Amino acid sequence: MIYSRTFLNALFIAIACHSGAQPTTLLTVNVDKPVAEVQPTMWGIFFEDINFAADGGLYAELVKNRSFEFDVPLMAWNEEGTDRFGMNNESGFTTILNRGATSDTNPRFARVTSNSEGSYSLTNTGFYGMGIKKGLSYALSMYIRPHDGNVYVRAELVDDQQRVIGSATIRTDDREWKRYQASITATETIKKASLKLTFIGKGSIDIDIVSLFPPDTWKNKPGGLRADLVQLLYDMKPGFLRFPGGCIVEGRDLSQRYQWKNTVGDVNDRPLLINRWNTEFRHRPTPDYFQTFGLGFYEYFELAEDLGAAPLPILSCGIACQFNTAEVVPMDQIDPYVQDALDLIEFANGDVTTKWGRLRKDMGHPAPFNLTMLGVGNEQWGPQYIERYIVFERAIKSKYPHIKIISGTGPFPDGELFDYATSELSALHAEIIDEHYYRPPLWFFENATRYDHYDRKGPKIFAGEYAAQSVAIASPENKNTWRCALSEAAFMTGLERNADVVHLASYAPLFGHAGRWQWTPDLIWFDNLSSYGTANYYVQKLFSTNAGTHVISVLNGTEKVAGQNNLYASGVWDDNRREVILKIVNANETPHTLMVKVSSKNRLDSQATATVLAGDLNAVNSFQMPTAIKPAESTVEVRRKSIQVQLPPSSLIVIKIKTM
Ligand code: AHR
């Protein structure tokens, strides 16, 4: 008898009294003897500013190059009323000035000279346009210092035909630098709008830090984060939030490494840095990719707190990206790097009387952020890494013994570099090691048993970056296919089964800007107005929202379910929800009948819920069909502590059975 059906392509789940000729597998689940605890951190999120994930993405600022600090100072700004060479400038012109030594964080500003009554303008084109929504009032701000004469600014939101969809006027009332604010209410919804500043009057004014924010940010925080993107993360109920990467931690060279101290304090004093993905891939050049750090370490800790996720920062260990320059800091000059790590812990947790704890308080968060973990280095390898890791480990543990340290095994999940790192780190009794798997889907299916025979006394595992690559690592042809997502689900049953050693796991990268990404596949895609979760996102979400508290055994006879008959399964007990949760992958392209017998001293509810993800193996979600692959829920009858379900072809099913 079928209780409900809302399922794609006529796939279904049913209580099947007769399974017909379909293959049938019997699984037994032992609830009464949990085999391991599941860490609350188990399923988390990896964030890196790649694919315009921060500036142009999560950080809701709409103006690109707001401080004229890009290497081309008027990048993203179009001038009207002059020619490109500034020779024909009867209407007006802009000169870029440099404050020099008086400001090393924001040296440049623009001096705009207007010779007419409104023929000269500067238009900011945002991040491939600005997503503007009808009826919302946008917060415009800019610093202005009148230089001579009398000039004021008309600010307009314009659509791609230059039609005005909202405006405001800014007049100065001071001779010194002052921040002026105005509100612009949009009369239309436009995906690729621009901000046009027209200079009216005769004379010149200096302008800097031109900013435009939507009002509908996450929790309506001024200068905050894009709400639709945070919501997608929030819905995952992530156990942790890794930040800021990824290779961005390392930098192309050491001078371009991520330095957290440059990302806190007044947002206008955070020095701009080139984004290392700006020039990384010749086939995906993004010369306009810089980091303003508007989403810096304070905002990161706040975001983690809002998501209910444990913060997990990864810091430079003094080695720049080894695929790039591989520049290393000499051992006798490593102290500032180590000090950065110690100071970050103080910033997150320190008393408000300490230097960095006070800054946290001054920024608005007197309570500690409860940092408990810290990563040393991203994808480093070789003896240079081990040598530097040891110094960090000693310094951190001697001051903060309770902080768990995460060390890295390099970019690959096997091979010489990996073997060297794991053997060295094991010998050093490293607590948690970070492994990365960017591999074809087949690898993920085959590695569902990867940790079944792992040394239980060895370091714990952080599956810190993984994603099935449909074509090849970082190929621009990679797609977020259902095949990839399904293979990840199969692999994740192996991580869950081994939750005694696997303490954290996160898909990577997280975000991709539809027009300007550098790396694919990504968990979530967005454009200026909308966003959607991929099939991989729904897999992650099904695991993270059903993490449970204890691993329970799921057996086929006496065997783990890790590929026999192309089935993969794991199970958890949830102490809080008093629920048995099973995750089953049917990697067959045909239906499969599953009988599940639950051994439990408790009574089981008479109905279980089954959430199914399934579809064509090549199917992908897209802006046009954002939920081509999405979960469908139905109910299944529980009789005499047994259920019978028909697994659709190529499917992930999460079965939840409440106990009484
Ligand atoms: O996730 C994209 C990149 O892949 C990360 O920056 C890096 O750590 C890995 O190589």
Side-chain angles (χ1 to χ4, degrees):
M1 192 200 313
I2 295 167
Y3 280 72
S4 80
R5 291 190 205 186
T6 39
F7 194 53
L8 187 73
N9 295 340
L11 301 176
F12 61 95
I13 296 177
I15 298 171
C17 296
H18 303 285
S19 57
Q22 273 170 24
T24 302
T25 297
L26 171 67
L27 302 184
T28 53
V29 177
N30 188 343
V31 182
D32 295 337
K33 282 196 192 142
V35 291
E37 276 184 28
V38 179
Q39 298 300 313
T41 50
M42 182 72 186
W43 308 111
I45 291 176
F46 163 98
F47 179 91
E48 176 171 18
D49 190 4
I50 181 173
N51 302 320
F52 287 87
D55 289 288
L58 197 52
Y59 183 50
E61 172 66 89
L62 293 167
V63 176
K64 186 164 73 186
N65 191 15
R66 63 187 174 192
S67 306
F68 310 100
E69 301 296 339
F70 283 19
D71 52 4
V72 177
L74 281 183
M75 193 178 261
W77 291 95
N78 292 337
E79 283 182 283
E80 248 179 72
T82 185
D83 68 16
R84 205 178 130 220
F85 304 102
M87 296 299 286
N88 174 16
N89 51 24
E90 293 95 48
S91 304
F93 59 95
T94 294
T95 314
I96 300 298
L97 283 96
N98 196 313
R99 296 177 180 86
T102 58
S103 171
D104 51 3
T105 55
N106 177 27
R108 293 197 195 126
F109 60 90
R111 174 160 297 164
V112 181
T113 299
S114 167
N115 297 328
S116 69
E117 289 303 315
S119 321
Y120 179 73
S121 64
L122 284 173
T123 299
N124 190 276
T125 50
F127 295 87
Y128 322 106
M130 299 172 179
I132 298 293
K133 296 178 199 155
K134 182 176 177 173
L136 294 191
S137 296
Y138 288 79
L140 173 69
S141 66
M142 57 200 291
Y143 283 79
I144 306 180
R145 179 177 62 179
H147 183 243
D148 60 36
N150 195 3
V151 177
Y152 68 94
V153 183
R154 188 171 66 231
E156 293 168 330
L157 286 173
V158 294
D159 69 8
D160 47 6
Q161 305 296 314
Q162 297 299 302
R163 284 182 293 243
V164 177
I165 56 161
S167 66
T169 299
I170 296 181
R171 292 176 194 277
T172 56
D173 57 14
D174 202 318
R175 296 312 297 170
E176 295 307 319
W177 280 112
K178 179 175 167 183
R179 181 167 181 254
Y180 294 88
Q181 299 182 71
S183 172
I184 305 182
T185 303
T187 55
E188 296 293 336
T189 293
I190 301 288
K191 196 157 147 189
K192 292 196 170 182
S194 300
L195 174 68
K196 182 173 180 180
L197 304 179
T198 302
F199 300 90
I200 302 166
K202 286 196 169 36
S204 54
I205 55 172
D206 297 336
I207 63 170
D208 204 0
I209 315 175
V210 181
S211 169
L212 186 72
F213 268 92
D216 59 341
T217 54
W218 174 251
K219 293 191 163 184
N220 299 320
K221 286 184 192 167
L225 307 180
R226 219 176 107 165
D228 61 328
L229 299 182
V230 181
Q231 188 66 50
L232 283 162
L233 305 184
Y234 184 81
D235 293 345
M236 292 172 77
K237 296 197 191 335
F240 66 89
L241 182 59
R242 174 182 178 146
F243 181 93
C247 294
I248 211 161
V249 168
E250 309 159 13
R252 292 181 67 77
D253 60 26
L254 284 174
S255 73
Q256 292 178 7
R257 73 190 187 278
Y258 195 104
Q259 299 188 58
W260 75 267
K261 287 174 183 164
N262 289 341
T263 76
V264 293
D266 186 341
V267 77
N268 297 328
D269 291 334
R270 302 178 188 176
L272 189 94
L273 181 66
I274 190 169
N275 187 303
R276 53 103 61 230
W277 297 104
N278 179 312
T279 49
E280 185 67 15
F281 294 131
R282 280 212 190 119
H283 57 276
R284 299 289 302 175
T286 43
D288 52 344
Y289 202 0
F290 289 79
Q291 302 174 83
T292 61
F293 299 116
L295 166 49
F297 252 87
Y298 177 82
E299 293 76 16
Y300 154 63
F301 280 127
E302 254 193 353
L303 175 63
E305 188 173 72
D306 286 355
L307 298 178
L312 169 43
I314 306 286
L315 296 187
S316 163
C317 64
I319 305 182
C321 180
Q322 286 164 280
F323 291 113
N324 298 155
T325 62
E327 188 184 6
V328 291
V329 68
M331 289 303 287
D332 61 1
Q333 292 167 40
I334 201 171
D335 285 358
Y337 292 75
V338 177
Q339 194 59 46
D340 275 356
L342 298 174
D343 291 343
L344 181 67
I345 300 169
E346 185 176 291
F347 179 68
N349 296 347
D351 189 87
V352 295
T353 56
T354 62
K355 174 177 174 191
W356 294 104
R358 185 163 54 247
L359 176 61
R360 183 191 71 240
K361 179 189 132 217
D362 292 347
M363 290 184 74
H365 202 288
F369 282 119
N370 300 321
L371 179 66
T372 58
M373 303 175 283
L374 188 79
V376 175
N378 175 47
E379 281 183 345
Q380 270 61 61
W381 64 76
Q384 300 102 318
Y385 174 60
I386 300 299
E387 217 181 347
R388 283 160 185 76
Y389 164 76
I390 290 170
V391 176
F392 274 82
E393 203 249 4
R394 263 190 216 133
I396 296 170
K397 282 291 179 189
S398 62
K399 190 155 184 202
Y400 299 107
H402 66 285
I403 294 282
K404 286 193 182 139
I405 303 180
I406 291 172
S407 48
T409 55
F412 310 118
D414 43 38
E416 207 182 329
L417 303 179
F418 177 84
D419 291 344
Y420 173 78
T422 42
S423 86
E424 292 289 320
L425 291 167
S426 302
L428 290 166
H429 304 292
E431 284 173 292
I432 305 181
I433 59 175
D434 178 13
E435 299 187 354
H436 294 181
Y437 336 105
Y438 293 99
R439 286 289 182 260
L442 185 61
W443 184 94
F444 284 87
F445 285 119
E446 288 177 350
N447 276 268
T449 54
R450 182 176 171 96
Y451 298 106
D452 287 353
H453 305 291
Y454 185 82
D455 177 5
R456 267 39 211 175
K457 296 200 181 86
K460 303 301 179 198
I461 299 293
F462 172 23
E465 294 184 28
Y466 62 92
Q469 313 284 298
S470 62
V471 178
I473 298 185
S475 162
E477 302 307 322
N478 284 332
K479 298 275 181 290
N480 285 96
T481 62
W482 173 236
R483 185 194 311 278
C484 288
L486 188 67
S487 73
E488 290 152 10
F491 180 69
M492 289 164 76
T493 63
L495 300 184
E496 182 167 89
R497 186 173 51 250
N498 290 286
D500 57 327
V501 292
V502 182
H503 283 192
L504 314 99
S506 46
Y507 183 98
L510 180 61
F511 287 122
H513 184 298
R516 299 297 287 178
W517 52 271
Q518 298 85 44
W519 181 296
T520 180
D522 303 297
L523 199 63
I524 292 167
W525 288 89
F526 64 92
D527 61 20
N528 292 345
L529 286 175
S530 49
S531 50
Y532 69 87
T534 56
N536 317 68
Y537 170 83
Y538 287 111
V539 167
Q540 292 294 321
K541 188 175 159 189
L542 274 180
F543 274 77
S544 59
T545 55
N546 293 294
T549 52
H550 296 83
V551 181
I552 52 179
S553 78
V554 179
L555 296 176
N556 176 0
T558 55
E559 303 259 300
K560 289 163 184 154
V561 189
Q564 311 87 329
N565 302 328
N566 275 333
L567 297 182
Y568 302 81
S570 58
V572 290
W573 162 253
D574 191 310
D575 252 346
N576 312 311
R577 292 172 7 190
R578 313 293 302 161
E579 251 177 17
V580 180
I581 306 171
L582 306 176
K583 289 142 191 149
I584 301 140
V585 168
N586 175 19
N588 295 290
E589 291 187 51
T590 49
H592 197 102
T593 300
L594 192 70
M595 300 171 69
V596 182
K597 210 169 159 26
V598 180
S599 157
S600 166
K601 59 181 184 312
N602 295 318
R603 277 181 42 222
L604 305 184
D605 199 352
S606 59
Q607 285 202 331
T609 62
T611 311
V612 182
L613 269 179
D616 185 280
L617 286 169
N618 293 318
V620 292
N621 289 348
S622 62
F623 287 101
Q624 293 70 36
M625 292 184 66
T627 51
I629 302 284
K630 69 160 186 202
E633 208 169 285
S634 55
T635 51
V636 179
E637 193 179 356
V638 182
R639 271 197 219 137
R640 291 190 288 278
K641 298 198 170 169
S642 294
I643 58 170
Q644 188 168 324
V645 291
Q646 192 175 28
L647 307 175
S650 311
S651 59
L652 163 65
I653 298 198
V654 177
I655 297 172
K656 288 181 267 184
I657 313 168
K658 283 215 178 299
T659 63
M660 334 276 275

